[in-house]
Amino acid sequence: MPSGNRWHKKWASKLTDANSSPASGSRIAALELVVVNISAKTNWSFIAVTTDDGITGWGECSLNGWEPVLQAQAGMLATRMQGQDVDAATRLLRYVPHAPGGLIAHAVKSGAEQALTDLRARRAGQSVCALLSPSPRSSVPAYANINRGVTDRSPAGFAAGAKRAVAAGYRAVKLAPFDDVIAEDAAHTPIGELTRAGLDRIFAVRDAVGSGVDVMVDCHWRFDESRASQLLQDVAPARPYWMECLTTEHPSGFAAIARLTERAHELGMRTAGGELMAGADMAEQMCVGRLYDVLMPDIKYAGGYAGMLAIADACAGHGVAFAPHNPTGPIAHLASIHACAAAPTLLWLEHQWDESPLFDELTGGNQAPLVDGAFRVPTQPGLGAALVLPLAHARPGRPLPAGAGLDERLG
């Protein structure tokens, strides 16, 4: 069985070798980070890479609350890439697991890799997925992440959000119901009460959508092993399709994750995780260790298209479901659709649904409509859209209040 690194190298090589002629002779003129404010609690961050003949490709590297550090990393990468031909620039974006920049560097590199792939596809007159696969899917099944669209955090508020998503055509929904739960804070927070509040939200959603709609629960790594084990028992009557990110995904927590997955299976549930993984080596470890039933790489962190497809290959090789994480802006959304269309296997794709009308407006409209519970894959050259710069520049990113992003202790 190939190692994760060999899978990643295979896809990186495919993207460079198969597309070197359309980009032949062009050099990188600029790399720019464009940060757009969406709400009081959200910024989205996009990468534009432009060649010396004026063609621009787009990617996304959103990491809410970390925009100043993304900007610094993007500036460093722009200096390295400027003047390089497209293939040489691509080689600068390779995944380096021990790089000191960590997730910030992986995010910016992933966004730049997306942009270069978009640029190559535009030059070739092909959609990104056609560039990546000789026989891509024409549609990508999806579920709605209702979490950011629900401002009323009561059980009734979550239930109403779930019902709206089902009415909009989604056949499955996901919620992140455990607001303010962090195992580390158990000594000075009412963690039991907060957990029960989360359970009330889950059961309200299940009651609202009925037995014919799948419900997924995102725990955002908020629990230690003992509390997660109890949670699995308590939530089982709601019949969640999966329980996501129950506890820390640091390698020190892998054994606990494996035990929790065994416990979930005993109770008739699946587990999912891996949204912050960068590169196929971590996917390989998770697959070999049977940590999860479903891996959820994010194109913003996993190494762009090459990283995502390497992870998809690792999943296929081990019989683990591939269901990408996709909770941010419209460029990552379209990129994820193209990656899913080209992947060897696919369960479904997440969609951060109903957070803001800017989701469609920033790319000039809905480029991938939902039809029968699946996104139609764009067939235009490249990604199928670009950022509408006048609108983006009219809403520049702004500092977010404390607590707007995910607590840095979680992950």
Side-chain angles (χ1 to χ4, degrees), residues 119-169:
L119 191 152
R120 281 194 172 105
R122 290 175 190 271
R123 287 181 176 280
Q126 293 179 287
S127 66
V128 165
C129 63
L131 196 71
L132 299 173
S133 169
S135 54
R137 295 173 178 85
S138 60
S139 63
V140 169
Y143 67 87
N145 180 339
I146 65 172
N147 197 57
R148 283 189 174 267
V150 173
T151 55
D152 174 1
R153 306 298 285 181
S154 70
F158 274 93
K163 290 174 73 173
R164 289 197 305 273
V166 172

Side-chain angles (χ1 to χ4, degrees), residues 343-377:
T345 63
L346 175 67
L347 178 58
W348 47 29
L349 174 66
E350 177 177 15
H351 180 212
Q352 183 74 282
W353 179 73
D354 200 31
E355 180 178 4
S356 168
L358 287 168
F359 189 91
D360 290 334
E361 293 169 10
L362 278 167
T363 52
N366 184 357
Q367 309 299 328
L370 187 78
V371 179
D372 295 330
F375 292 118
R376 291 281 176 87
V377 179

Side-chain angles (χ1 to χ4, degrees), residues 140-147 165-166 169-175 213-218 241-242 244 272-273 275 294-297 322-327 333 346-354 370 373-375:
V140 169
Y143 67 87
N145 180 339
I146 65 172
N147 197 57
V166 172
Y170 294 92
R171 296 173 180 171
V173 298
K174 183 168 81 177
L175 68 159
V213 174
D214 289 318
V215 174
M216 285 79 76
V217 178
D218 189 351
Y241 184 86
W242 75 47
E244 179 180 331
E275 67 190 61
V294 183
L295 283 192
M296 306 175 61
F322 176 71
H325 185 247
N326 176 37
H333 177 61
L346 175 67
L347 178 58
W348 47 29
L349 174 66
E350 177 177 15
H351 180 212
Q352 183 74 282
W353 179 73
D354 200 31
L370 187 78
F375 292 118

